[in-house]
């Protein structure tokens, strides 16, 4: 309980700091004190509260929070990234303006003092009671035009009269109106770009999955099984923003492939069977020559894993829980194995991933394909000589540049890679988690074709 409270507190703190930064750059720096700034501050507070309210509310049945809350989460992310990137050019621009202001306000060379001859009235002091000195040769003193302002009086723009620093003083900063213009320009650019990227991402995420075809050679695959095809999908993520129509579209897409096997590699749902059972029902219509198979992902352990294992089994998919199935096709044999997600360890809800149970005591001359939700499982799988691992979990990063962070945890983010001699194929997934946004990682269904040497 303490660990959970600490985590929640940390998340709230981070969200608060991000919104404070956005308020400074988008509101305080772009407005003068007044009503607009107060309204902007109130909006920033409301948006900061919306994020945790959405995360908690969607778990409690307040699904109407999902669209505004999760779309703002994506927009917030891209505003943060763009404004942080703009900090460098903005700082450089301010420095250039400051230097220009310094060159403008610095005084010219001091004038040489005028020599005044002896006896000149301008230099002679007057004694008390003496009359003022007369002008030279009867010439009248110089007149001042009506529009002129004598130095040192109101309206005088000379450095000394305006209070601007003179020689030896600190140079004045550039005009505050320029700073305001610069801040507004950065805010407008970041706002428009973030909105455009988020809008594109929503369209991509809500659109149909892209079909990718990949050929993967397996050294042990019998020649008779050359071309065996596995339709692979992961991270369907049925939930507040994705329902039955999403499942129907994926099932129809897979059935058109006429695959030999179907592999659903975890994260099917974000909710209980009572909430999403009807949305998952179209899975019963999946067609393949040698069967459809399922392994759990981390989200199943947040959604009632035992109920979902029974439900998926009822819908006709074989759930591989630390076990393997012989696939006899075209005169050859292939071992198809599956392990529980690594999240199961310590939950008490299901057995943790057991690679020995799924992969031990088998004929090493046969090729083996492992279904494991997370690519990181390949480090253990490689110890058992797995030829190919099919995974999901990463969403391909879902929102660039978040893929860079995913790379710190998973050995392969998207596509085909290799871990300790084991080939690993990671599909982007057909759904999304959190924001209904995908940028740089479109939703995907993959047809994996196994090739013999």
């Amino acid at each position: 309980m303490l660990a959970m409270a600490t985590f929640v507190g940390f998340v709230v703190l981070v969200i608060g700091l991000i919104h404070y930064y956005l308020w400074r750059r988008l509101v305080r720096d772009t407005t003068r004190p007044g009503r607009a700034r107060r309204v902007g501050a109130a909006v920033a507070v409301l948006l900061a509260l919306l994020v945790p309210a959405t995360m908690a509310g969607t778990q409690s049945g307040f699904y109407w929070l999902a669209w505004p809350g999760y779309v703002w989460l994506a927009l917030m992310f891209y505003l943060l990234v763009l404004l942080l990137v703009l900090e460098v050019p903005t700082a450089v621009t301010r420095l250039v303006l400051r230097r220009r202001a310094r060159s403008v306000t610095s005084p010219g060379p001091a004038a040489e003092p005028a020599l005044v001859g002896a006896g000149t009235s301008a230099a002679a002091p007057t004694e008390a009671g003496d009359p003022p000195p007369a002008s030279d040769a009867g010439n009248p003193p110089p007149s001042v035009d009506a529009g002129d302002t004598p130095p040192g009086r109101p309206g005088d723009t000379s450095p000394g009269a305006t209070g601007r620093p003179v020689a030896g003083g600190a140079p004045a900063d550039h005009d505050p109106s320029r700073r305001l213009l610069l801040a507004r320009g950065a805010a407008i650019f970041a706002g428009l770009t973030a909105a455009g990227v988020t809008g594109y991402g929503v369209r991509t995420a809500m659109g149909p999955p892209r079909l990718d075809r990949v050929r993967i050679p397996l050294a042990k695959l019998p020649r008779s099984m050359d071309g065996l095809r596995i339709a692979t999908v992961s991270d369907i993520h049925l939930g507040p923003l994705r329902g039955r129509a999403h499942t129907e579209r994926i099932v129809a897409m897979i059935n058109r492939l006429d695959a030999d096997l179907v592999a659903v590699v975890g994260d099917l749902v974000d909710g209980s069977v009572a909430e999403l059972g009807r949305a998952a029902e179209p899975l019963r219509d999946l067609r393949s020559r040698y069967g459809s198979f399922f392994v759990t992902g981390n989200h199943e352990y947040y959604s009632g894993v035992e109920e979902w294992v029974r439900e998926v089994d009822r819908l006709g998919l074989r759930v591989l829980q630390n076990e393997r199935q012989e696939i006899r096709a075209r005169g050859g044999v292939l071992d198809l194995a599956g392990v529980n997600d690594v999240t199961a360890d310590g939950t008490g809800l299901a057995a943790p991933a057991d690679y020995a149970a799924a992969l031990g005591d088998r004929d090493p001359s046969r090729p083996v394909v492992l279904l494991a939700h997370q690519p990181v499982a390949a480090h253990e799988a490689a110890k058992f000589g797995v030829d190919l691992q099919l995974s999901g979990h990463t969403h391909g990063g879902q929102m660039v540049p978040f893929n860079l962070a995913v790379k710190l945890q998973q050995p392969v983010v998207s596509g085909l890679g290799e871990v300790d001699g084991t080939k690993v194929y990671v599909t982007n997934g057909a759904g999304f988690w959190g924001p209904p946004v995908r940028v740089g990682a479109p939703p995907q269904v993959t047809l994996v074709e196994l090739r013999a040497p």
Side-chain angles (χ1 to χ4, degrees), residues 301-319:
Y301 294 91
Y302 314 144
S303 306
V305 63
E306 294 175 348
E307 282 188 327
W308 274 112
V309 166
R310 290 193 296 269
E311 180 66 12
V312 170
D313 183 71
R314 187 182 71 83
L315 294 174
L317 283 76
R318 169 78 187 277
V319 183

Side-chain angles (χ1 to χ4, degrees), residues 2-20 47-56 70 73 76 80 433:
L2 179 61
M4 178 59 69
T6 302
F7 174 75
V8 171
F10 175 75
V11 170
V12 171
L13 176 63
V14 170
I15 291 171
L17 290 175
I18 290 173
H19 282 80
Y20 174 71
L47 290 173
L49 295 174
L50 178 62
V51 176
T54 299
M55 293 179 175
Y70 283 129
L73 188 62
M76 178 198 78
L80 176 65
W433 182 78

Side-chain angles (χ1 to χ4, degrees), residues 99-357:
R99 287 182 175 178
R100 286 182 180 177
R102 182 182 293 116
S103 65
V104 169
T105 58
S106 59
E112 294 183 3
L115 296 178
V116 180
T120 304
S121 59
T126 60
E127 296 182 1
D130 290 346
S135 59
D136 286 344
N139 292 330
S143 61
V144 179
D145 292 338
D148 293 341
T149 304
R153 295 184 181 179
D156 188 2
T157 59
S158 65
T162 60
R164 292 179 181 270
V166 292
D173 198 356
H174 61 276
D175 191 339
S177 64
R178 289 186 178 180
R179 291 200 301 271
L180 188 64
L181 181 64
L182 183 63
R184 287 176 175 174
I188 290 171
F189 175 81
L192 292 177
T193 304
V197 171
T198 302
Y200 164 80
V202 170
R203 180 182 177 186
T204 302
M206 300 302 292
R210 185 182 73 185
L211 174 63
D212 278 21
R213 299 173 184 266
V214 58
R215 292 182 174 181
I216 302 177
L218 297 184
K220 299 177 184 177
L221 189 71
R223 293 289 302 171
S224 62
M225 299 183 76
D226 182 56
L228 188 79
R229 299 184 303 166
I230 307 174
T232 306
V233 65
S234 76
D235 301 278
I236 295 174
H237 283 292
L238 299 176
L241 299 178
R242 281 303 203 183
R244 186 182 180 96
H246 180 50
T247 313
E248 290 174 342
R249 180 164 62 182
I250 292 170
V251 168
M253 186 175 182
I254 290 174
N255 287 345
R256 286 194 295 269
L257 298 177
D258 192 28
D260 297 298
L261 296 164
V262 173
V264 182
V265 286
D267 278 9
L268 172 64
V269 292
D270 287 307
S272 66
V273 173
E275 295 167 328
L276 299 172
R278 185 176 179 276
E281 280 180 356
L283 291 175
R284 69 166 73 250
D285 299 324
L286 282 171
R287 294 195 305 268
S288 62
R289 289 185 178 83
Y290 306 110
S292 299
F293 299 86
F294 176 81
V295 290
T296 57
N298 54 307
H299 282 252
E300 273 71 59
Y301 294 91
Y302 314 144
S303 306
V305 63
E306 294 175 348
E307 282 188 327
W308 274 112
V309 166
R310 290 193 296 269
E311 180 66 12
V312 170
D313 183 71
R314 187 182 71 83
L315 294 174
L317 283 76
R318 169 78 187 277
V319 183
L320 296 175
Q321 294 187 284
N322 300 326
E323 54 191 320
R324 67 178 179 270
Q325 172 76 43
E326 286 186 354
I327 304 298
R328 296 185 175 273
R330 308 176 187 176
V333 182
L334 174 145
D335 285 336
L336 183 68
V339 292
N340 291 342
D341 185 63
V342 296
T343 306
D345 191 15
T347 64
L349 300 174
D354 189 339
Y355 300 90

Side-chain angles (χ1 to χ4, degrees), residues 39-117:
V39 171
V43 171
V45 171
L46 290 175
L47 290 173
L49 295 174
L50 178 62
V51 176
T54 299
M55 293 179 175
T58 52
Q59 298 297 317
S60 304
F62 296 98
Y63 298 136
W64 58 271
L65 285 169
W67 269 108
Y70 283 129
V71 170
W72 166 245
L73 188 62
L75 191 59
M76 178 198 78
F77 173 73
Y78 281 114
L79 282 171
L80 176 65
V81 170
L82 287 163
L83 288 170
L84 288 174
V85 170
L86 287 172
E87 290 288 351
V88 173
T90 300
V92 171
T93 303
R94 285 174 177 164
L95 180 61
V96 170
L97 291 175
R98 219 173 259 126
R99 287 182 175 178
R100 286 182 180 177
R102 182 182 293 116
S103 65
V104 169
T105 58
S106 59
E112 294 183 3
L115 296 178
V116 180

